[in-house]
Amino acid sequence: MNLVLTIVLDGLIEASWLFVVALGLTLVFGVLKILNIAHGSFYALGAYIAATVVTASAAHHLPPAAGFVAMLLTVAFVAGAVGVLLERGLLKMFYGRDEVVLLLVTYAVFLILEDVTKLIWGVNPIYATQPYELFGNVAFAGLYYVGYDLMLIPASAAIGFAVWFGLNRTIRGKIVLAVIHNEEISLSMGVRVSRVYAAAFGFGVLLAATAGALTAPKISMQPGLSSDVIILSFAIVVIGGLGGVEGAAVGAILVGLARAASVHLMPQAELFVIYLIMAAVLLIRPEGLFRRETARRI
Amino acid sequence: MRQWRLHPLMMLLPVLAAALAGRLLPVWTLSLATVAASNALVALGIVILARTGNVSFGQGLFFAAGGYGVALVANAWGITDAAAQMLIGAACGGLLGLLIGPLIARYSGIFFGMLTLALSMVFYGALVKSTALGGSDGFNVGRPTLFGIVFVDPREADFMLYAISVVTTGIAGIAAAILFRSEFGLVSLAVRENNLRVEYLGLSANRVIVANFAIAAAFAGASGAFALMAQRHIDPQFAYWTTSGEFVFIAVLAGYQTVMAVYVASLALELVRSFSNLYLPNTWQLVLGLFLLAVILFLPRGIGSLWAGKPRRSGAPAMAEPVPERGGAP
């Protein structure tokens, strides 16, 4: 019984931050129709910036809570700016090209950001553990958990709900949905599609970086972080179906649970169980679990 | 209609000349050219497959399958002959391709890419955890021989490897050029344009995709064998997604117009990589990324567009070389 509970909780903790990353990826794909390989780099960027801010605030003897808030705000600001700048300055030049070419453009961005993070933060692992003690420890049903980890679950649920609400219940969100469905008609109805593009990409980067910031206290930041995260979030959006909040949530929970289960029951299968699920979902439902079939042209 | 074209078989001469020219090249260029040629072979497979409209992001799977297959056979039965190893690699890759091909031929576009990526990552995950195969460290294999000749001098061994990889990829390129002009090659293009209509004409689009997929997989497997012979070491990195990404990188860099461009692109990539590795050891990925962006931006149809003509229909996606009309080529 305890084992099941452990797996579920570990899985949900894992799923919570993966969900936020995948949400950004799926949103960018929905609006811009780009599968953004550099998305993992934005996650890493968020984590590194968070580490810098946390370390700096600890050096100035600010309370950890202040450091935590400062970390989130700084990451949000920098990530949003980086996202909008990248979209306006770089991606815009490649619209209308083949989808593989756009994918490679983001691959180039991934390569560049990989070295930029190395140049700024070096190759040695860095840590930002101060906020990790913020929420104390929690003991229940004979299990001990770090409060910070458990806090991630409601935090990401709140982010998910906010995004869902923003998309489905506000006028701006409806405009974004309209662009997702058909950008030409949106354009003809007077929607400034290019602004939606910039905003959506910026927001996608923001989500990835926020997830990075939220996980920064848990992990050690070192090169290679981004390529692992991107492949996990790819699996999630493929499992859930590209372009939907619900899909990202279900995909993240599935991946999180599968990973936690394999860590506890069968550690040697940890890496491959996720891709196995992804391959299985693709073979049975190539559109993902949560994607409507689209009519095809003859 | 088109300008006068050489028969692809005429290209055998430059290929042999390039192989023999390795005698004059300094040692460091030999290994660089070997890697470039072997990468070009995988990229060539991607180009062949791309003619059906599908891009594989998981060629690392077949690359690794070829490499591991050869390494296991070499260690178990002591087969060290380079030509035999190349054939074993191609067989491993090709068989796996035939096995997987029918499963994924039903998918198109981004799903095809994602599924190939997923399968290669499944393989990667399995390799990392398999202690019998050395886990994430991989294992070593001995130096290759050729037709019973053992190469003691490393320079001779490098030249042998260079020559055999250049000749193999050269022949593969010639075969590809012939394939592109054949009926089968033209049907592949038709599948890309509209696979349902191909079915209406009484052909199986899936079978065309599977055949192209198996060819691409065999090329990747042979390339894996070369990579193994060059490094004399294999590890799961062969199947990692960044390896596969690099092959797609070369294919897109080359453009889909001429076979020749694949070699040029592969060589250019290797040169950029090794020079930036040499002079800018900490920022070679940055240089590589900027190089890729520059090529995509300034040469939208790839390096091949520098010398190959424009596609005849300007509205058509720039995926394939212009197809000569029947009897139009000399």
Side-chain angles (χ1 to χ4, degrees), chain B residues 22-244:
Chain B
R23 273 282 171 221
L24 309 171
L25 291 173
V27 177
W28 66 271
T29 44
L30 274 185
S31 53
L32 188 144
T34 309
V35 175
S38 109
N39 286 346
L41 192 55
V42 190
L44 188 64
I46 291 177
V47 171
I48 291 174
L49 188 59
R51 285 167 59 89
T52 63
N54 295 305
V55 177
S56 163
F57 287 100
Q59 288 308 92
L61 169 62
F62 307 109
F63 186 67
Y68 271 96
V70 169
L72 289 177
V73 168
N75 282 353
W77 293 311
I79 296 180
T80 54
D81 189 86
Q85 288 197 339
M86 185 268 289
L87 291 176
I88 292 169
C92 289
L95 285 178
L96 193 60
L98 274 181
L99 209 69
I100 293 175
L103 274 179
I104 65 169
R106 295 180 286 145
Y107 304 94
S108 59
I110 208 86
F111 299 112
F112 187 93
M114 297 311 293
L115 192 54
T116 47
L117 178 80
L119 291 173
S120 77
M121 287 306 290
V122 169
F123 195 53
Y124 171 80
L127 287 175
V128 166
K129 295 292 172 182
S130 62
T131 41
L133 296 174
S136 56
D137 291 336
F139 58 93
N140 292 324
V141 286
R143 219 175 250 290
T145 58
L146 186 64
F147 307 134
I149 310 165
V150 179
F151 297 88
V152 185
D153 183 4
R155 175 154 169 51
E156 290 297 310
D158 280 354
F159 172 69
M160 181 277 285
L161 206 54
Y162 164 82
I164 189 167
S165 62
V166 166
V167 169
T168 308
T169 46
I171 290 174
I174 291 165
I178 294 174
L179 186 83
F180 289 173
R181 295 160 184 220
S182 69
E183 270 176 31
F184 176 74
L186 296 178
V187 170
S188 306
L189 281 183
V191 169
R192 190 193 72 209
E193 294 299 332
N194 195 322
N195 55 356
L196 279 188
R197 289 191 187 177
V198 170
E199 301 263 341
Y200 292 164
L201 290 173
L203 290 156
S204 164
N206 275 6
R207 223 175 270 173
V208 173
I209 294 175
V210 171
N212 279 304
F213 190 75
I215 294 172
F219 281 10
S223 172
F226 285 129
L228 173 77
M229 287 184 252
Q231 299 176 8
R232 295 194 298 285
H233 176 81
I234 190 157
D235 59 61
Q237 201 65 32
F238 273 53
Y240 199 57
W241 71 267
T242 47
T243 310
S244 306

Side-chain angles (χ1 to χ4, degrees), chain A residues 210-280:
Chain A
T210 305
L214 284 175
T215 39
K218 284 158 58 73
I219 56 173
S220 67
M221 272 67 76
Q222 53 195 335
L225 192 61
S226 46
S227 56
D228 289 341
V229 169
I230 186 59
I231 206 78
L232 278 177
S233 45
F234 265 8
I236 290 169
V237 296
V238 167
I239 289 171
L242 281 158
V245 179
E246 306 89 341
V250 171
I253 290 172
L254 267 178
V255 166
L257 287 180
R259 218 172 164 198
S262 71
V263 165
H264 284 290
L265 303 174
M266 217 184 135
Q268 63 273 26
E270 188 210 329
L271 268 171
F272 111 138
V273 71
I274 291 157
Y275 310 115
L276 212 59
I277 295 179
M278 173 176 165

